[in-house]
Amino acid sequence: MPTPRIPAARVEIPAARPGRVDVAAQILGEATRLFAAHGFDGVSLADIAQAVGIRKPSLLYHFHSKDMLRRAVLETLLARWNDVLPKLLMAATSGSEQFDAVISKTLAFFIEDRDRARLILRELLDRPTELQPMIETHVRPWATLVSDYIRRGQDQGRLWIDVDPEVYVAHVTLLVLSSIATFEVIAALAPKSPANSPRVLLERHTHELLRIARTSLFRPRGRDPESTTHE
Amino acid sequence: MPTPRIPAARVEIPAARPGRVDVAAQILGEATRLFAAHGFDGVSLADIAQAVGIRKPSLLYHFHSKDMLRRAVLETLLARWNDVLPKLLMAATSGSEQFDAVISKTLAFFIEDRDRARLILRELLDRPTELQPMIETHVRPWATLVSDYIRRGQDQGRLWIDVDPEVYVAHVTLLVLSSIATFEVIAALAPKSPANSPRVLLERHTHELLRIARTSLFRPRGRDPESTTHE
DNA sequence: CCGCGTGCCTACCAAATGGTAGACAAATGC
DNA sequence: GCATTTGTCTACCATTTGGTAGGCACGCGG
């Protein structure tokens, strides 16, 4: 590093860190952000350390290797997912409103922190085999539950019979992930008009995503008055 | 490299490379494959050189920097896309079969070489701002054309009026990209059964993708077998 | 007050990275 | 036949990488 590095002023602010927040958590946060933005290989330990405001060895004191840091990031993400999963499963019992709720909640989980979507999409591309077991344990149950729900709905005639339940679920999930992960870029396709603030654009995107998911699943209600499935 | 590297046997096979294929093309091919699989930062020039069977400096003779190689890879991809674009545009004139044809052809383009989808998805994540202009020139026209087609269809009452044309196009495009790019992993969600060969699974995926795109766009034809739909 | 664990640091390391210099051989043009 | 160009190589380089060694200050329990 060309910066002469002033001897780190070893004297000043000796104990001036009272309300010191958990450094490990800070590292985890910055790592998440940077991995999501540039990928695991695109970020160096020094980058992360700098973002946190510490030196590399201090970082390695908390996480013994770069790969362990990556796994920690992933595990925290999955832990958060496990927090919301039960709510999703409870909502996934019957009716179209419930279905909407499930997708909306899933969507909300990723919109709340878009890095989640980016991170997962990256892992999907970079380490598919390593991700497989996690998928198996964390999304398989959710996916089969929704699939079963779909199959029941098909039997009852409420859903299109030509839906391929598992594949449908996979596609909608992927669509959620990728459209959130790449929102900025994709959004730039539509704008031109100043009426498109990122705020309203995101709203349009999630709304349309829900519409696609819904329309391609549910058969139109008994009769619907001219046009539309108005929500 | 720890391999003692036998003096490269400078004597043997002196001119034994008559049908020498274009080395630059070979490099481009291997680079495409590796970048798609591991990302730009996850691949070293040495990796690519080894895959081709040459040394690093030889590679740098053809492409003066790693970044130029990346751009070349991207440009070749876009060139191929430009080959099929006209056909797509011609097919995008009217009617639902034509619409299917457009999506099918797009799908086929990426299925023909799945690295294309992976590559673009990666660029979308890694260098969004750099990709923006390419999107502007290479997909914007196509997207607006389809959007206009949708709007016309809406006026004629053939399509759902609550479709958000631009956003719909963006989502379907993204779905194509991501579901092809991550096919292997996602496919593993459904299998369990030995009846699911990757072959048939891919067919199921593309079929369901088309179904989703179609169903969420077109209103059911006048009457359709089985009950409901028609208002 | 003393020892010890915690946490951060400087200093360092071997390996790998992207890239250059320059030798050499085979084709190619004249 | 000779000069030049083309393409590959070995050898090297500076920088960056993930990671280690070990020291130093602090706080806390005895």
Side-chain angles (χ1 to χ4, degrees):
Chain A
M1 201 183 288
T3 25
R5 169 149 304 296
I6 303 104
R10 211 175 304 174
V11 184
E12 48 166 310
I13 350 175
R17 288 91 166 267
R20 193 68 178 172
V21 296
D22 188 359
V23 180
Q26 256 181 286
I27 296 173
L28 218 48
E30 294 299 330
T32 302
R33 197 176 55 84
L34 290 169
F35 286 161
H38 312 292
F40 181 72
D41 292 314
V43 175
S44 75
L45 290 183
D47 292 335
I48 302 171
Q50 192 184 35
V52 176
I54 59 178
R55 313 279 162 258
K56 202 173 37 166
S58 310
L59 193 160
L60 283 164
Y61 170 79
H62 294 280
F63 300 89
H64 295 351
S65 80
K66 194 188 181 188
D67 202 69
M68 287 192 58
L69 177 55
R70 180 182 62 83
R71 280 199 287 266
V73 165
L74 228 62
E75 273 160 29
T76 340
L77 172 49
L78 286 183
R80 295 282 167 87
W81 173 248
N82 282 337
D83 289 345
V84 308
L85 229 191
K87 296 171 193 164
L88 289 193
L89 296 188
M90 274 193 293
T93 45
S94 71
S96 89
E97 306 80 21
Q98 276 86 340
F99 176 82
D100 265 36
V102 173
I103 302 206
S104 302
K105 276 188 166 52
T106 308
L107 209 45
F109 173 77
F110 289 108
I111 288 183
E112 178 190 327
D113 181 357
R114 298 226 292 280
D115 286 341
R116 290 168 181 169
R118 281 188 267 256
L119 229 30
I120 292 191
L121 206 52
R122 282 191 183 281
E123 288 295 312
L124 233 34
L125 288 169
D126 289 345
R127 274 164 291 275
T129 59
E130 182 180 333
L131 209 59
Q132 207 103 311
M134 304 195 189
I135 294 179
E136 209 63 35
T137 67
H138 290 87
V139 330
R140 181 53 147 290
W142 173 80
T144 54
L145 192 140
V146 179
S147 299
D148 290 349
Y149 161 78
I150 293 177
R151 251 182 281 270
R152 252 176 296 135
Q154 286 177 310
D155 291 344
Q156 299 166 5
R158 299 196 337 270
L159 310 190
W160 299 112
I161 29 94
D162 52 354
V163 174
D164 187 330
E166 280 86 7
V167 181
Y168 169 86
V169 172
H171 278 161
V172 170
T173 309
L174 254 186
L175 182 53
V176 168
L177 278 180
S178 60
S179 68
I180 293 179
T182 67
F183 172 67
E184 280 93 349
V185 216
I186 301 304
L189 251 181
K192 305 181 89 167
S193 134
N196 287 327
S197 75
R199 190 78 191 69
V200 51
L201 220 49
L202 184 61
E203 167 56 25
R204 270 177 67 188
H205 272 243
T206 69
H207 183 274
E208 175 69 7
L209 196 158
L210 277 171
R211 193 199 63 78
I212 293 176
R214 209 186 308 121
T215 314
S216 61
L217 188 59
F218 292 98
R219 307 176 62 182
R221 305 297 187 78
R223 28 98 229 115
D224 69 83
E226 176 57 12
S227 57
T228 73
T229 48
H230 63 65
E231 63 257 295
Chain B
M1 199 183 290
T3 24
R5 167 149 306 296
I6 303 104
R10 211 172 305 175
V11 184
E12 48 166 308
I13 349 174
R17 287 92 167 266
R20 192 69 177 172
V21 295
D22 189 358
V23 180
Q26 255 182 287
I27 295 173
L28 218 48
E30 294 299 329
T32 302
R33 199 175 53 83
L34 289 169
F35 286 160
H38 311 292
F40 181 70
D41 292 314
V43 176
S44 74
L45 290 183
D47 292 335
I48 302 171
Q50 193 185 34
V52 177
I54 59 179
R55 314 279 161 256
K56 202 171 39 164
S58 310
L59 192 160
L60 283 163
Y61 170 80
H62 295 279
F63 299 89
H64 294 352
S65 80
K66 195 189 180 188
D67 202 68
M68 287 192 57
L69 177 53
R70 179 182 62 82
R71 281 201 285 267
V73 165
L74 228 60
E75 272 160 31
T76 343
L77 172 48
L78 286 184
R80 295 283 166 86
W81 173 249
N82 283 337
D83 289 345
V84 309
L85 230 191
K87 294 170 194 163
L88 289 193
L89 295 188
M90 274 194 291
T93 45
S94 71
S96 88
E97 306 79 22
Q98 275 87 341
F99 177 82
D100 265 35
V102 173
I103 302 206
S104 302
K105 275 188 165 53
T106 308
L107 209 45
F109 173 76
F110 289 108
I111 288 184
E112 178 188 327
D113 181 355
R114 298 225 293 280
D115 285 342
R116 290 168 181 169
R118 281 188 267 257
L119 230 31
I120 292 190
L121 206 51
R122 283 190 182 281
E123 289 295 312
L124 233 34
L125 288 168
D126 289 345
R127 273 164 292 272
T129 59
E130 182 180 332
L131 208 60
Q132 207 102 312
M134 303 194 188
I135 293 179
E136 210 62 35
T137 66
H138 289 88
V139 331
R140 180 54 146 289
W142 173 79
T144 53
L145 192 140
V146 179
S147 299
D148 290 347
Y149 160 78
I150 293 177
R151 251 182 281 270
R152 254 176 295 134
Q154 287 176 310
D155 291 343
Q156 300 166 4
R158 297 198 337 271
L159 310 190
W160 300 113
I161 35 95
D162 53 353
V163 174
D164 186 332
E166 281 87 4
V167 181
Y168 169 87
V169 172
H171 278 162
V172 171
T173 309
L174 255 185
L175 181 53
V176 168
L177 278 180
S178 59
S179 69
I180 293 180
T182 67
F183 172 67
E184 280 92 351
V185 217
I186 300 304
L189 250 179
K192 305 180 87 166
S193 132
N196 286 328
S197 74
R199 191 77 191 74
V200 51
L201 219 50
L202 184 61
E203 167 54 26
R204 270 178 66 188
H205 272 242
T206 69
H207 184 275
E208 175 68 7
L209 197 157
L210 276 171
R211 194 199 61 80
I212 293 176
R214 210 184 308 119
T215 314
S216 61
L217 188 60
F218 293 99
R219 305 177 63 186
R221 304 298 188 76
R223 30 102 229 109
D224 75 65
E226 182 68 13
S227 54
T228 58
T229 73
H230 61 64
E231 51 263 298

